[in-house]
């Protein structure tokens, strides 16, 4: 296991804009606040979503689109840099009216309503290619 101790610089509570992109808003917020590394939690609802699932044998993402209203039962993720841009690595559990849930890497979703807690760190985290997984992971 690789690790690094980090200090917290600030904490934020945020309300996402109705009609905006869920992940895009997190990245815009991080850029506006000059946050280079953070962890976040969120909840709310979306009007649609694109969820990615990483197929480990093929080492490729499969996209699944949902054109329906969904509750964001839980959203967790982190902010770091990927290719010199802020990247919000976002996972979510989304639920339907009958209570069934779907989950995965949230690539995009149109916000109906959303709230976040963001904890920023006093460090710079960069994602780099990891050969065994073919993923871009933190370089610690």
């Amino acid at each position: 296991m690789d690790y690094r101790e980090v200090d917290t610089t600030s904490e934020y509570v945020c309300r996402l804009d109705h009609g905006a992109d869920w992940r895009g808003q997190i990245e815009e917020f991080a850029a506006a606040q000059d946050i280079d590394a953070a962890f976040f939690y969120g909840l709310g609802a979306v009007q649609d979503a694109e969820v990615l699932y990483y197929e480990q044998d093929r080492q490729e993402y499969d996209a699944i689109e949902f054109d329906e209203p969904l509750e964001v039962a839980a959203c967790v993720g982190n902010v770091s840099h990927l290719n010199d841009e802020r990247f919000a690595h976002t996972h979510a559990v989304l639920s339907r009216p009958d209570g069934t849930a779907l989950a995965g890497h949230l690539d995009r979703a149109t916000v109906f309503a959303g709230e976040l807690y963001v904890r920023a760190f006093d460090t710079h985290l960069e994602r780099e290619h990891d050969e065994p997984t073919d993923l871009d992971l933190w370089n610690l």
Side-chain angles (χ1 to χ4, degrees):
M1 174 192 312
D2 294 328
Y3 62 91
R4 179 192 314 176
E5 183 177 7
V6 296
D7 292 322
T8 300
T9 59
S10 50
E11 298 175 75
Y12 301 87
V13 291
C14 310
R15 186 180 75 201
L16 299 175
D17 291 336
H18 177 81
D21 178 61
W22 188 286
R23 189 171 64 86
Q25 285 231 287
I26 298 169
E27 292 169 350
E28 291 169 13
F29 169 76
Q33 295 302 314
D34 202 27
I35 296 171
D36 291 326
F39 205 86
F40 60 85
Y41 305 94
L43 51 96
V46 295
Q47 297 167 321
D48 56 26
E50 182 176 347
V51 176
L52 303 178
Y53 175 80
Y54 191 70
E55 212 297 319
Q56 295 177 19
D57 290 335
R58 289 193 339 263
Q59 295 188 332
E60 293 180 9
Y61 281 104
D62 293 327
I64 308 165
E65 292 191 25
F66 300 94
D67 190 17
E68 59 187 287
L70 300 161
E71 287 286 320
V72 179
C75 176
V76 297
N78 57 62
V79 174
S80 56
H81 283 257
L82 176 63
N83 300 324
D84 297 322
E85 293 186 16
R86 284 171 179 85
F87 174 69
H89 184 193
T90 308
H91 283 234
V93 178
L94 308 172
S95 67
R96 292 184 164 128
D98 66 0
T100 58
L102 43 114
H105 177 95
L106 186 67
D107 192 45
R108 60 149 204 88
T110 305
V111 174
F112 180 78
E115 298 171 333
L116 295 176
Y117 164 77
V118 179
R119 186 174 200 167
F121 304 121
D122 185 20
T123 194
H124 180 92
L125 288 176
E126 189 77 37
R127 293 187 169 277
E128 292 183 357
H129 183 260
D130 176 68
E131 192 64 37
T133 64
D134 200 30
L135 293 168
D136 295 315
L137 302 177
W138 284 340
N139 178 16
L140 299 176

